[in-house]
Amino acid sequence: MLFNSISFLVFFVVVTTAYFLMPFRYRWVLLLSSSYFFYMCWNPTHIFLMIFSTLISFYTGQYMARAEKRSTKKMCLVLSLVLNLSVLFFFKYYNFINDSFRIVFNQFNYSYVLPSFNMLLPIGISFYTFHTLSYSIDIYRGIKKPEKHLVIFALYVAYFPQLVAGPIARASKLLPQLYEEHSFDYDRVTDGLKLMLWGFFKKLVIADRLAIYVNQVYNNPSEYHGAPLIIATYFFAFQIYCDFSGYSDIAIGGAQVLGVDLIDNFKRPYFSKSIPEFWRRWHISLSTWFKDYVYIALGGSRVHKWRWYYNVFIVFLISGLWHGANWTFAVWGGLHGFYYLCSIWTADFRERLTAYFRLPEYPFIRKVLQVFITFHLVLLAWIFFRASSISDAFMIINNMFSGLSNLDPDSIWVVGKAEFLVSVMSIVFMECIHLVQRHKKMRKFFSEKPLGIRWAVYYLIIFSTLIFGVFTSNQFIYFQF
Amino acid sequence: MKRSVIYNSLIFISILIFIARGLSMFYSEIIMSGSYSMRIDRDFYRYDNKILMLGDSHSMTGLNSEIIGDAFNFSSGGANYMKTYYKLKYILNDKPRRFKVLIIPFDLHSFASNRSDVLMDSYYWKKYVNYWELGLRKKNLPAYLTEYLRGNYFPYAGEFGNVYLYFKDGQQNVGKEKYRKVIKGYMIDDENYSKKDKMKLARTRTEEHFKGTKSVDEDLVFYFNKIVSLASGHGIKIILIKFPITDEYYSIASEMMQVDKYNAQINSLVEGKPDMFLWDYQNFFFDKDYLFSDSDHLNTAGATEFSNIIKDRLKSEGILDF
């Protein structure tokens, strides 16, 4: 059941209505059963994997809390990590690693016979595995007490608004909210609905329309040179942002309607002035997860500087591979790791350079330059993220700068002039909203306006979404992760 | 909950429904009224002929109603056997009609599984298709009910292209096809395939029809049989035509599917049925590429020649003697 489907709208209305009509003590039944139903709409059998992961994490957590010896606690943690990661590894990475080994062995004329498995990647497995892992690690570290009720814990793992693509909620934040009694709060509900509406707009109008252009070019990279490749790359940067942040807005808004606050996942990331800042504003729930559970576990920055560089790089590499079992994602992660390290290594040099050009006297120009450079570094990395293979990515980079003299408009439109113009205008519109939102959230801004203006804006967004949206049930990009 | 909240919510939803209905009517009745589907539809209910042609673009561009005589070509681009069945059912239930001969395509791609889920142009098909029944049959009720809702209440959803064309060019240019002249449902197509990149075009078309698909889809067979039952129940003779295609299209299709096996399978659907006639013209124009607009559609010259052949055969076999 995709968020951008009628089925989901019907499902959400039914669940929300039932939720507020139902006595508090039975609400967990509704939420858990509807979350499982939501998940089973993709593939009913995959629910068993989620239940397995839930049971393992719950019971190892219980034993961990009861154990007195440090070694027993550690054993429980290892058991939880190994079992949860084994499932993730098998379904997500087995074929990738197997195929990679096969290629290497074939290079040296050795026979390699381990079979591949033709299996579907369970939706959201990377997300719910991270939910359960963070829970186990938090208990081991003593940050969190174990959850007493299995069903509430199961609900934490399966909570439908954030089940398939995050935001990755922490047990310490989400579990207490599942115990709270939420009565119908008009302001909170309408605020959540507005956020959902904005998410639908970003997904259906911007992301899916940009996808038409991007898919056409990136799926046939050898047929394009120059401008279309450059435009498609810019478009992809906004497509993936709108796709994922649109999903996050729907998830956060949906949870808000039901009385639960989820973590913000994006804070206008393309306005970042450096790569480290970009990672504080892009997919925040994942970045903080990696920081708390991998980077710090490796020693963080409180180690010898070479070890610190290694820690930074390895976290980005793992983050890349978390996105998908393909070398393109590893390169994407590696590239960001490299950027991050470069930003550390060149900090003094950049300071001297800006002083030489007297940029501190012109803070606005300095900021624009920083944002411009950061955005284009991110853009370069997106090429590897989107390309089907590394060789395709290099071909795209190579072909981008050939044929630039041919700026025939017909070759630039690719999928039609009107489509192209709507795509550009929708990006401009969104960025204008972002600029306005620097000072005040749009939802708050409009809630202070007279009723007529507010409603006019809502109708405008609803019908713009309907008319300009793309309704071909396009999956969210992050569903595949 | 405060009374004002309920009151405001009801007003908000009422205005929303009002605007949605208005936009829906504007799109269906004004913007799309110039599309070829709607023009043909209006035409059809003005005539009452002996011969009815249904089916997809092969019959739409291949059979000239005026040449065949006392006929109406009520085909629609992309119409599979499901849509054809519902259209026929609607026509027969609408009012008593004269027609006793039904001509439908029986081509290489007619039963291909990728044609089995054609959910599009619901602004037009909402009148004919029973989406509930189809959704149950296809075990995908949400998708078909969504299409029903879209056709009836939100036909403009995602159709910004048509809205744009309407405001840019007026009704002349809306719809999936650019404005084309139609004569009693027959669509004129003056393109000339022989002057195009034939192999590229043929490969694109065959890939659209056959790549990654099952040659014979059970649901399409099911609806084909329903067409046959419905027609015979009303004493209507069915002529199945394998429309002319180019040799490029045929040879590439042969690489993608087992043509002999497919033919044997679909021909068996016709065997032993006295009121059904199978006329095979698949390779009839293999050496005449100038009669095609692309690898599998006849152009105006091709349709003229082919319609004359069909007209003569209808006479010679005495099918119109009723």
Side-chain angles (χ1 to χ4, degrees), chain A residues 50-66 76 80 84 131-133 135-136 139 145-157 175 179:
Chain A
M50 192 160 66
I51 292 171
F52 173 75
S53 186
T54 304
L55 292 174
I56 290 297
S57 308
F58 180 78
Y59 286 110
T60 51
Q62 295 282 321
Y63 284 118
M64 224 187 296
R66 270 187 243 141
C76 290
S80 171
N84 278 310
H131 283 145
T132 53
L133 291 184
Y135 170 80
S136 297
I139 291 175
K145 286 189 174 165
E147 174 53 45
K148 288 175 190 160
H149 300 287
L150 176 60
V151 280
I152 298 291
F153 180 71
L155 182 56
Y156 155 71
V157 177
L175 275 168
Y179 279 101

Short mmCIF file of all heavy atoms in Angstrom, two decimals, chain A residues 50-66 76 80 84 131-133 135-136 139 145-157 175 179:
data_model
loop_
_atom_site.label_atom_id
_atom_site.label_comp_id
_atom_site.label_asym_id
_atom_site.label_seq_id
_atom_site.Cartn_x
_atom_site.Cartn_y
_atom_site.Cartn_z
N MET A 50 9.50 -9.66 10.15
CA MET A 50 9.38 -8.55 11.09
C MET A 50 9.03 -9.08 12.49
O MET A 50 9.58 -8.59 13.49
CB MET A 50 8.32 -7.55 10.61
CG MET A 50 8.38 -6.26 11.39
SD MET A 50 7.59 -4.90 10.54
CE MET A 50 5.91 -5.44 10.54
N ILE A 51 8.16 -10.07 12.53
CA ILE A 51 7.80 -10.65 13.83
C ILE A 51 9.03 -11.31 14.47
O ILE A 51 9.30 -11.16 15.66
CB ILE A 51 6.63 -11.65 13.68
CG1 ILE A 51 5.36 -10.87 13.30
CG2 ILE A 51 6.42 -12.45 14.96
CD1 ILE A 51 4.18 -11.73 12.92
N PHE A 52 9.81 -12.00 13.63
CA PHE A 52 11.05 -12.64 14.11
C PHE A 52 11.97 -11.60 14.72
O PHE A 52 12.47 -11.75 15.85
CB PHE A 52 11.73 -13.35 12.93
CG PHE A 52 13.09 -13.91 13.25
CD1 PHE A 52 13.23 -15.06 14.00
CD2 PHE A 52 14.24 -13.26 12.80
CE1 PHE A 52 14.49 -15.56 14.29
CE2 PHE A 52 15.49 -13.75 13.09
CZ PHE A 52 15.62 -14.91 13.83
N SER A 53 12.16 -10.52 13.98
CA SER A 53 13.05 -9.44 14.45
C SER A 53 12.51 -8.84 15.75
O SER A 53 13.28 -8.55 16.68
CB SER A 53 13.13 -8.39 13.35
OG SER A 53 14.05 -7.42 13.66
N THR A 54 11.19 -8.68 15.81
CA THR A 54 10.56 -8.12 17.01
C THR A 54 10.80 -9.02 18.22
O THR A 54 11.22 -8.55 19.29
CB THR A 54 9.04 -7.97 16.77
OG1 THR A 54 8.84 -7.19 15.61
CG2 THR A 54 8.35 -7.33 17.95
N LEU A 55 10.56 -10.31 18.03
CA LEU A 55 10.70 -11.26 19.15
C LEU A 55 12.14 -11.33 19.63
O LEU A 55 12.40 -11.31 20.85
CB LEU A 55 10.20 -12.65 18.73
CG LEU A 55 8.69 -12.76 18.48
CD1 LEU A 55 8.35 -14.13 17.91
CD2 LEU A 55 7.91 -12.52 19.77
N ILE A 56 13.07 -11.42 18.68
CA ILE A 56 14.48 -11.51 19.06
C ILE A 56 14.88 -10.29 19.90
O ILE A 56 15.48 -10.42 20.98
CB ILE A 56 15.36 -11.58 17.79
CG1 ILE A 56 15.16 -12.93 17.07
CG2 ILE A 56 16.84 -11.36 18.10
CD1 ILE A 56 15.59 -14.12 17.90
N SER A 57 14.54 -9.12 19.40
CA SER A 57 14.96 -7.89 20.09
C SER A 57 14.27 -7.75 21.43
O SER A 57 14.88 -7.32 22.42
CB SER A 57 14.66 -6.67 19.23
OG SER A 57 15.19 -6.85 17.97
N PHE A 58 13.02 -8.12 21.48
CA PHE A 58 12.27 -7.98 22.73
C PHE A 58 12.86 -8.90 23.81
O PHE A 58 13.17 -8.44 24.91
CB PHE A 58 10.79 -8.31 22.49
CG PHE A 58 9.96 -8.19 23.74
CD1 PHE A 58 9.56 -6.94 24.20
CD2 PHE A 58 9.59 -9.31 24.46
CE1 PHE A 58 8.80 -6.82 25.35
CE2 PHE A 58 8.83 -9.20 25.61
CZ PHE A 58 8.43 -7.95 26.06
N TYR A 59 13.04 -10.17 23.46
CA TYR A 59 13.48 -11.11 24.50
C TYR A 59 14.96 -10.94 24.85
O TYR A 59 15.34 -11.10 26.01
CB TYR A 59 13.14 -12.55 24.10
CG TYR A 59 11.66 -12.80 24.25
CD1 TYR A 59 10.84 -12.98 23.15
CD2 TYR A 59 11.07 -12.81 25.52
CE1 TYR A 59 9.47 -13.17 23.29
CE2 TYR A 59 9.71 -13.00 25.67
CZ TYR A 59 8.91 -13.18 24.56
OH TYR A 59 7.56 -13.34 24.71
N THR A 60 15.78 -10.61 23.88
CA THR A 60 17.20 -10.35 24.24
C THR A 60 17.26 -9.12 25.13
O THR A 60 18.07 -9.06 26.05
CB THR A 60 18.09 -10.16 22.99
OG1 THR A 60 17.49 -9.20 22.15
CG2 THR A 60 18.33 -11.44 22.24
N GLY A 61 16.39 -8.16 24.87
CA GLY A 61 16.32 -6.95 25.72
C GLY A 61 15.94 -7.31 27.14
O GLY A 61 16.53 -6.81 28.11
N GLN A 62 14.97 -8.19 27.27
CA GLN A 62 14.53 -8.63 28.60
C GLN A 62 15.68 -9.31 29.36
O GLN A 62 15.94 -9.00 30.52
CB GLN A 62 13.38 -9.64 28.45
CG GLN A 62 12.11 -9.05 27.85
CD GLN A 62 11.32 -8.25 28.86
OE1 GLN A 62 11.23 -8.63 30.01
NE2 GLN A 62 10.80 -7.11 28.43
N TYR A 63 16.35 -10.24 28.66
CA TYR A 63 17.45 -10.97 29.31
C TYR A 63 18.59 -10.03 29.67
O TYR A 63 19.21 -10.14 30.72
CB TYR A 63 17.96 -12.11 28.41
CG TYR A 63 17.01 -13.29 28.41
CD1 TYR A 63 16.39 -13.71 27.23
CD2 TYR A 63 16.74 -14.00 29.58
CE1 TYR A 63 15.50 -14.77 27.21
CE2 TYR A 63 15.86 -15.08 29.59
CZ TYR A 63 15.24 -15.46 28.39
OH TYR A 63 14.37 -16.51 28.38
N MET A 64 18.85 -9.09 28.75
CA MET A 64 19.94 -8.15 28.96
C MET A 64 19.71 -7.34 30.25
O MET A 64 20.62 -7.10 31.02
CB MET A 64 19.99 -7.20 27.76
CG MET A 64 21.41 -6.94 27.26
SD MET A 64 21.43 -5.69 25.99
CE MET A 64 20.51 -6.38 24.67
N ALA A 65 18.46 -6.94 30.42
CA ALA A 65 18.14 -6.12 31.60
C ALA A 65 18.25 -6.92 32.89
O ALA A 65 18.67 -6.40 33.93
CB ALA A 65 16.75 -5.54 31.45
N ARG A 66 17.89 -8.20 32.77
CA ARG A 66 17.92 -9.04 33.98
C ARG A 66 19.33 -9.53 34.32
O ARG A 66 19.63 -9.79 35.48
CB ARG A 66 17.00 -10.25 33.78
CG ARG A 66 15.57 -9.96 34.25
CD ARG A 66 14.73 -11.21 34.20
NE ARG A 66 13.64 -11.02 33.25
CZ ARG A 66 13.19 -11.93 32.43
NH1 ARG A 66 13.73 -13.11 32.39
NH2 ARG A 66 12.18 -11.67 31.62
N CYS A 76 23.86 -11.23 24.99
CA CYS A 76 22.48 -10.95 24.52
C CYS A 76 22.50 -9.93 23.39
O CYS A 76 21.79 -10.07 22.40
CB CYS A 76 21.62 -10.42 25.66
SG CYS A 76 21.26 -11.65 26.89
N SER A 80 21.32 -10.48 19.53
CA SER A 80 20.34 -9.63 18.85
C SER A 80 20.91 -9.04 17.56
O SER A 80 20.27 -9.07 16.51
CB SER A 80 19.90 -8.52 19.80
OG SER A 80 19.12 -7.58 19.11
N ASN A 84 19.47 -10.17 13.89
CA ASN A 84 18.80 -9.12 13.10
C ASN A 84 19.59 -8.80 11.83
O ASN A 84 19.01 -8.67 10.75
CB ASN A 84 18.64 -7.85 13.94
CG ASN A 84 17.42 -7.93 14.84
OD1 ASN A 84 16.34 -8.26 14.38
ND2 ASN A 84 17.62 -7.66 16.11
N HIS A 131 15.48 0.07 13.78
CA HIS A 131 14.68 0.32 14.98
C HIS A 131 15.06 -0.67 16.07
O HIS A 131 15.29 -0.30 17.22
CB HIS A 131 13.18 0.13 14.69
CG HIS A 131 12.56 1.26 13.94
ND1 HIS A 131 11.58 1.09 13.01
CD2 HIS A 131 12.79 2.57 13.98
CE1 HIS A 131 11.24 2.26 12.52
NE2 HIS A 131 11.96 3.17 13.10
N THR A 132 15.08 -1.93 15.69
CA THR A 132 15.33 -2.98 16.69
C THR A 132 16.78 -2.93 17.19
O THR A 132 17.03 -3.13 18.37
CB THR A 132 15.01 -4.38 16.12
OG1 THR A 132 15.72 -4.54 14.89
CG2 THR A 132 13.54 -4.57 15.86
N LEU A 133 17.71 -2.63 16.27
CA LEU A 133 19.12 -2.58 16.69
C LEU A 133 19.33 -1.45 17.70
O LEU A 133 20.00 -1.63 18.72
CB LEU A 133 20.02 -2.34 15.48
CG LEU A 133 20.16 -3.48 14.47
CD1 LEU A 133 21.17 -3.11 13.39
CD2 LEU A 133 20.60 -4.76 15.15
N TYR A 135 17.24 -0.18 19.69
CA TYR A 135 16.61 -0.56 20.96
C TYR A 135 17.56 -1.45 21.77
O TYR A 135 17.81 -1.21 22.95
CB TYR A 135 15.29 -1.30 20.65
CG TYR A 135 14.65 -1.95 21.84
CD1 TYR A 135 13.89 -1.21 22.74
CD2 TYR A 135 14.78 -3.32 22.07
CE1 TYR A 135 13.30 -1.81 23.84
CE2 TYR A 135 14.20 -3.93 23.15
CZ TYR A 135 13.45 -3.18 24.04
OH TYR A 135 12.87 -3.78 25.12
N SER A 136 18.11 -2.49 21.13
CA SER A 136 19.01 -3.41 21.83
C SER A 136 20.24 -2.68 22.34
O SER A 136 20.67 -2.89 23.48
CB SER A 136 19.44 -4.55 20.88
OG SER A 136 18.34 -5.29 20.49
N ILE A 139 19.55 -0.48 25.35
CA ILE A 139 19.40 -1.24 26.60
C ILE A 139 20.77 -1.69 27.11
O ILE A 139 21.07 -1.57 28.30
CB ILE A 139 18.47 -2.46 26.39
CG1 ILE A 139 17.05 -1.93 26.18
CG2 ILE A 139 18.51 -3.40 27.58
CD1 ILE A 139 16.06 -2.97 25.84
N LYS A 145 15.36 1.50 29.48
CA LYS A 145 14.94 0.27 30.17
C LYS A 145 14.17 -0.58 29.17
O LYS A 145 13.53 -0.04 28.27
CB LYS A 145 14.06 0.63 31.35
CG LYS A 145 14.85 1.20 32.50
CD LYS A 145 14.01 1.35 33.74
CE LYS A 145 14.91 1.78 34.88
NZ LYS A 145 14.17 2.27 36.01
N PRO A 146 14.20 -1.91 29.35
CA PRO A 146 13.50 -2.74 28.36
C PRO A 146 11.99 -2.54 28.43
O PRO A 146 11.44 -2.29 29.51
CB PRO A 146 13.88 -4.17 28.74
CG PRO A 146 14.25 -4.08 30.16
CD PRO A 146 14.82 -2.73 30.40
N GLU A 147 11.38 -2.67 27.29
CA GLU A 147 9.92 -2.55 27.22
C GLU A 147 9.29 -3.80 27.84
O GLU A 147 9.73 -4.91 27.57
CB GLU A 147 9.51 -2.39 25.74
CG GLU A 147 8.04 -2.38 25.47
CD GLU A 147 7.30 -1.36 26.30
OE1 GLU A 147 7.77 -0.21 26.40
OE2 GLU A 147 6.27 -1.73 26.87
N LYS A 148 8.26 -3.58 28.66
CA LYS A 148 7.67 -4.73 29.35
C LYS A 148 6.65 -5.45 28.49
O LYS A 148 6.44 -6.64 28.59
CB LYS A 148 6.99 -4.25 30.64
CG LYS A 148 7.99 -3.84 31.71
CD LYS A 148 7.25 -3.29 32.90
CE LYS A 148 8.23 -2.65 33.88
NZ LYS A 148 7.57 -1.71 34.77
N HIS A 149 5.95 -4.67 27.66
CA HIS A 149 4.85 -5.27 26.89
C HIS A 149 5.26 -5.58 25.46
O HIS A 149 5.61 -4.68 24.70
CB HIS A 149 3.65 -4.34 26.90
CG HIS A 149 3.15 -4.07 28.28
ND1 HIS A 149 2.48 -5.00 29.02
CD2 HIS A 149 3.28 -2.98 29.08
CE1 HIS A 149 2.19 -4.50 30.21
NE2 HIS A 149 2.67 -3.27 30.27
N LEU A 150 5.16 -6.85 25.17
CA LEU A 150 5.57 -7.29 23.82
C LEU A 150 4.79 -6.57 22.73
O LEU A 150 5.34 -6.15 21.72
CB LEU A 150 5.39 -8.81 23.70
CG LEU A 150 5.69 -9.41 22.34
CD1 LEU A 150 7.13 -9.17 21.91
CD2 LEU A 150 5.41 -10.92 22.33
N VAL A 151 3.48 -6.44 22.92
CA VAL A 151 2.66 -5.85 21.85
C VAL A 151 3.00 -4.38 21.62
O VAL A 151 2.99 -3.89 20.48
CB VAL A 151 1.15 -6.01 22.12
CG1 VAL A 151 0.68 -7.38 21.76
CG2 VAL A 151 0.80 -5.63 23.52
N ILE A 152 3.31 -3.67 22.70
CA ILE A 152 3.68 -2.26 22.53
C ILE A 152 5.02 -2.18 21.80
O ILE A 152 5.23 -1.33 20.93
CB ILE A 152 3.76 -1.53 23.90
CG1 ILE A 152 2.39 -1.54 24.58
CG2 ILE A 152 4.27 -0.10 23.74
CD1 ILE A 152 1.33 -0.68 23.92
N PHE A 153 5.91 -3.11 22.16
CA PHE A 153 7.20 -3.14 21.46
C PHE A 153 6.99 -3.48 19.98
O PHE A 153 7.62 -2.87 19.10
CB PHE A 153 8.14 -4.16 22.11
CG PHE A 153 9.47 -4.22 21.42
CD1 PHE A 153 10.38 -3.18 21.55
CD2 PHE A 153 9.79 -5.29 20.60
CE1 PHE A 153 11.60 -3.21 20.88
CE2 PHE A 153 11.00 -5.33 19.93
CZ PHE A 153 11.91 -4.30 20.08
N ALA A 154 6.10 -4.45 19.74
CA ALA A 154 5.79 -4.81 18.34
C ALA A 154 5.24 -3.61 17.59
O ALA A 154 5.55 -3.40 16.41
CB ALA A 154 4.78 -5.96 18.31
N LEU A 155 4.47 -2.81 18.28
CA LEU A 155 3.91 -1.61 17.66
C LEU A 155 5.02 -0.59 17.36
O LEU A 155 5.00 0.06 16.32
CB LEU A 155 2.85 -1.00 18.59
CG LEU A 155 2.13 0.25 18.09
CD1 LEU A 155 1.48 0.01 16.74
CD2 LEU A 155 1.07 0.69 19.10
N TYR A 156 5.98 -0.50 18.26
CA TYR A 156 7.12 0.40 18.03
C TYR A 156 7.86 0.00 16.74
O TYR A 156 8.23 0.84 15.93
CB TYR A 156 8.05 0.37 19.24
CG TYR A 156 9.48 0.74 18.95
CD1 TYR A 156 9.82 2.06 18.66
CD2 TYR A 156 10.49 -0.22 18.94
CE1 TYR A 156 11.14 2.40 18.37
CE2 TYR A 156 11.81 0.12 18.67
CZ TYR A 156 12.12 1.42 18.37
OH TYR A 156 13.42 1.77 18.08
N VAL A 157 8.04 -1.30 16.57
CA VAL A 157 8.77 -1.78 15.38
C VAL A 157 7.91 -1.56 14.12
O VAL A 157 8.43 -1.18 13.07
CB VAL A 157 9.13 -3.28 15.53
CG1 VAL A 157 9.82 -3.80 14.28
CG2 VAL A 157 10.01 -3.50 16.74
N LEU A 175 8.41 4.93 22.14
CA LEU A 175 7.69 4.03 23.04
C LEU A 175 6.85 4.77 24.10
O LEU A 175 5.67 4.43 24.28
CB LEU A 175 8.67 3.06 23.71
CG LEU A 175 8.98 1.80 22.88
CD1 LEU A 175 10.17 1.05 23.47
CD2 LEU A 175 7.77 0.88 22.82
N TYR A 179 2.20 4.99 24.88
CA TYR A 179 1.44 4.79 26.11
C TYR A 179 0.50 5.95 26.42
O TYR A 179 -0.37 5.84 27.26
CB TYR A 179 2.40 4.61 27.30
CG TYR A 179 2.95 3.21 27.42
CD1 TYR A 179 4.24 2.91 26.97
CD2 TYR A 179 2.19 2.19 27.95
CE1 TYR A 179 4.75 1.63 27.08
CE2 TYR A 179 2.70 0.91 28.07
CZ TYR A 179 3.98 0.63 27.63
OH TYR A 179 4.47 -0.64 27.74
#
